[in-house]
Amino acid sequence: MNFLIEAFQFIFDPANWGGSGGIGVRLVEHLWVSLLVVVIAAAIAIPVGFLIGHTGTGKSIAVIGSGGVRALPTLGLVTVIALSVGIGLTAPIIALVVLAIPSILAGAYSGFEAIDRRTIDAARAVGRTEWQIVTAVELPLGLPLLMGGLRSASLQVISTATLAAYVGGGGLGGFLFTGLRTNDYPQMLAGSILVIALALLSEGFFAILERVTVPAGVRAGLPTSVRARPSRSRATAA
Amino acid sequence: MNWVANNLPLILQRTGDHLAIAVPAIILSFVISIPIGWVAHHYRWSRGTVLTSIGLLYAIPSLPLFIVIPLIVGTGLRSPVNLVVGLTLYGIALMVRSTADALGSVDSNVEQSASAVGFSAWQRFWRVDLPLAGPVLLAGIRVVSVSTVSLTTVGAVIGISSLGSLFTDGFQRNITAEIYTGIVMTILVALVLDLILVMIGRALMPWIGAVSPRRAARNARAARRSGEVTA
C-alpha cells in the first residue's frame, strides 16, 4: 500500500502540476485529443448511422465492418500508423477515430431501428416530409441510444488515448511510460489513477448529459433509464 | 514477407504466449460469470446493483488496470498473471450481463413445467435453464473472446510477451512488416477461437441448427431489450 500513498503524494504534489510535462498540461492534452477524436468520429458516424437507420439499408455492411474493427488491435494500428506518418499526435488520433466509429455508428442506427414503425408511419400519414421525419421524430426518439453510443465511444477513447504517449503523442499515458522506463512504479500508478478517474468522470458526465438532452416526452415513455449496451455485444448479436 | 519467413519461430512463440494469456481469461470469465449472472437474474432486487457495479468494471481503462493489479494481487508488474486477472475482469464485465439476459430469455412456462414434473431447483438449472440459455450465452462469450484476444496485445507496452510484442518491437526497430504480421495474427487468433466456440456450441446444442440463425439472433435481441428495460 506504500506505493499507493506515494502515488497520491505524486498527484497532490504541486511541483508535479506545472511545467511542460506536468499533470496540468498532460491532462489538457488528454482531454483535448479525446474530444477531437470523438467529434471527428461523430461527424463521420452519425450521418452514416442515421442514413442506415432511416433507410434500413447497408446495415449488414456496418455490422460486419464494426465487427472487423473490434478484432483490430488498437496498439497495432497506432504503431503502424506512427511508422508511416511519424511520431506525434496524428497516429493516435487516426487510430482512435477508427476505434470510436463503430460504437457511435451502432448507437445512431439502432436508435432509429428501435423506434416503433407505427410512429413513423403515422408521421408520414399526417404529411411530414422525410426530412421532417428524421429531424422531428426519429432524431429525438433515437437519442437515448445515440447518447449511449457516444458514451461508450468516449470511454473507449479516453482509456485508449493512454497509448498515445507510446508514440510520442503526449497525454496522461506519459506518466505510465516515463515511470516504466525509470522503474518508478509510484509514477506509473499515479498516471493510471488519473486515467481511471478521468474515465469514471466521463461516465458520470454522460449520465448527466443523457438526462439533460433526452426530451422529457421520450424519457416519460421509458420505465427506467435506457442506456445503450456496449456496442460490442449489440453488433455481434445482430 | 521476407520478415515472416525469417522469423517464423518468433511468431509461433508469441502466438503461444498470446494464447496462454487469452484462453485462460476467456474460460475464467465464463465460469465466474455464470453464478453472478444467475444471482442477478434470480433475485430481482439484486439485478440493478449487480449489473451496474459490474458494468463499472468495464469503465476502467485497460492499461492502467494492468498497472494497478500487481498492487492488489501481489504479482510482478511483468507477470502474465496480471494480464489474465485484468482480462478476466473485463470478460466478467461483459459476460455477467449476457448471462442474466440469457437466463431471462428462457420461457417461464418451460421453467414452470420443469418444476411441475418434479425437477429440483438444482436439476432444473442444469438440465433446463442452462441449455435453453445456451445460444445467448454463446453469443456473449464470442464477444468476450474477440475483445480479450485484442486487449491481450496491450500488455506488450509494459513488457508482457504476446502478439502485441510484435507491435512494440516493430515500432522500436522500424519494421512495418512485423507490425502487420502482429495485426494479421491477432485477427487470425480471434477468428480461430471464434470458430472453436461456434463448433463447441454446435456440439453441445445440436438443436441450434434447427432454428434459423436470423430468428435466434432476433430472439436474443428481443430478450436483451426486455432485459434492458428492467435493468
Side-chain angles (χ1 to χ4, degrees):
Chain A
M1 281 301 121
N2 272 338
F3 285 129
L4 203 58
I5 294 165
E6 284 180 56
F8 277 107
Q9 276 167 352
F10 182 91
I11 295 173
F12 290 113
D13 185 351
N16 290 329
W17 277 81
S20 59
I23 296 176
V25 171
R26 287 193 173 155
L27 189 67
V28 171
E29 271 174 352
H30 203 104
L31 281 172
W32 166 240
V33 169
S34 305
L35 187 70
L36 192 67
V37 166
V38 172
V39 168
I40 297 174
I44 300 168
I46 292 180
V48 176
F50 281 177
L51 198 68
I52 294 172
H54 182 71
T55 60
T57 52
K59 195 192 154 209
S60 51
I61 299 172
V63 170
I64 293 169
S66 308
V69 169
R70 199 158 302 121
L72 199 63
T74 317
L75 180 63
L77 202 59
V78 172
T79 47
V80 85
I81 298 173
L83 279 192
S84 62
V85 302
I87 58 170
L89 267 181
T90 319
I93 287 179
I94 298 173
L96 289 171
V97 166
V98 172
L99 178 79
I101 284 179
S103 302
I104 304 178
L105 190 67
Y109 71 69
S110 59
F112 276 24
E113 235 176 29
I115 301 168
D116 190 338
R117 296 318 299 176
R118 285 171 297 186
T119 311
I120 293 162
D121 290 340
R124 200 165 278 142
V126 296
R128 300 257 187 166
T129 63
E130 290 303 305
W131 178 249
Q132 282 173 329
I133 290 174
V134 171
T135 55
V137 180
E138 289 179 318
L139 191 64
L141 288 176
L143 210 51
L145 283 175
L146 174 63
M147 292 303 294
L150 280 171
R151 180 180 180 166
S152 51
S154 305
L155 179 68
Q156 272 177 298
V157 169
I158 289 177
S159 308
T160 319
T162 317
L163 289 177
Y166 188 74
V167 293
L172 289 171
F175 296 113
L176 269 68
F177 295 112
T178 312
L180 193 66
R181 271 193 301 275
T182 56
N183 255 327
D184 182 356
Y185 186 63
Q187 187 177 349
M188 293 177 76
L189 207 54
S192 305
I193 292 168
L194 287 170
V195 180
I196 291 173
L198 202 60
L200 294 179
L201 276 179
S202 131
E203 280 285 274
F205 170 74
F206 269 94
I208 295 168
L209 200 65
E210 276 174 33
R211 291 210 136 263
V212 176
T213 54
V214 176
V218 176
R219 215 182 310 138
L222 309 165
T224 48
S225 71
V226 165
R227 177 190 167 185
R229 300 170 39 71
S231 64
R232 297 170 177 265
S233 36
R234 188 186 316 117
T236 319
Chain B
M1 274 299 106
N2 239 341
W3 187 89
V4 176
N6 293 334
N7 292 278
L8 269 181
L10 176 76
I11 298 170
L12 282 179
Q13 199 192 337
R14 293 288 172 263
T15 310
D17 295 340
H18 201 95
L19 287 171
I21 294 167
V23 171
I26 295 168
I27 295 173
L28 279 174
S29 45
F30 184 78
V31 172
I32 298 172
S33 297
I34 298 284
I36 305 178
W38 181 83
V39 169
H41 164 70
H42 198 75
Y43 300 102
R44 211 132 260 275
W45 52 267
S46 71
R47 191 184 165 100
T49 336
V50 171
L51 293 187
T52 311
S53 46
I54 298 262
L56 263 185
L57 262 183
Y58 199 74
I60 299 175
S62 57
L63 182 54
L65 183 69
F66 298 150
I67 292 171
V68 174
I69 284 176
L71 193 70
I72 300 163
V73 185
T75 46
L77 181 61
R78 288 178 175 80
S79 157
V81 176
N82 282 336
L83 225 54
V84 175
V85 173
L87 293 169
T88 303
L89 288 177
Y90 282 122
I92 292 173
L94 291 172
M95 195 59 202
V96 165
R97 186 175 267 271
S98 298
T99 309
D101 291 345
L103 293 171
S105 73
V106 179
D107 188 343
S108 62
N109 287 330
V110 175
E111 292 181 323
Q112 283 172 5
S113 312
S115 297
V117 297
F119 278 79
S120 70
W122 181 254
Q123 285 173 324
R124 201 187 79 182
F125 176 76
W126 287 105
R127 299 212 219 146
V128 180
D129 293 346
L130 201 58
L132 287 179
V136 184
L137 286 177
L138 178 65
I141 199 65
R142 286 174 69 188
V143 174
V144 171
S145 163
V146 172
S147 84
T148 303
V149 168
S150 168
L151 271 179
T152 303
T153 59
V154 172
V157 297
I158 50 173
I160 301 171
S161 179
S162 70
L163 284 170
S165 310
L166 300 179
F167 305 151
T168 51
D169 190 59
F171 176 67
Q172 275 150 15
R173 293 163 57 200
N174 205 350
I175 309 172
T176 315
E178 185 172 2
I179 303 182
Y180 276 122
T181 309
I183 294 178
V184 170
M185 283 307 292
T186 310
I187 294 175
L188 208 64
V189 166
L191 280 178
V192 169
L193 288 187
D194 191 58
L195 204 68
I196 292 175
L197 285 174
V198 170
M199 287 190 327
I200 294 175
R202 289 253 171 83
L204 293 177
M205 302 176 285
W207 66 89
I208 285 187
V211 187
S212 80
R214 195 178 289 270
R215 212 176 111 203
R218 197 166 48 224
N219 288 347
R221 229 172 317 149
R224 193 150 335 115
R225 209 168 290 138
S226 66
E228 207 165 78
V229 175
T230 49

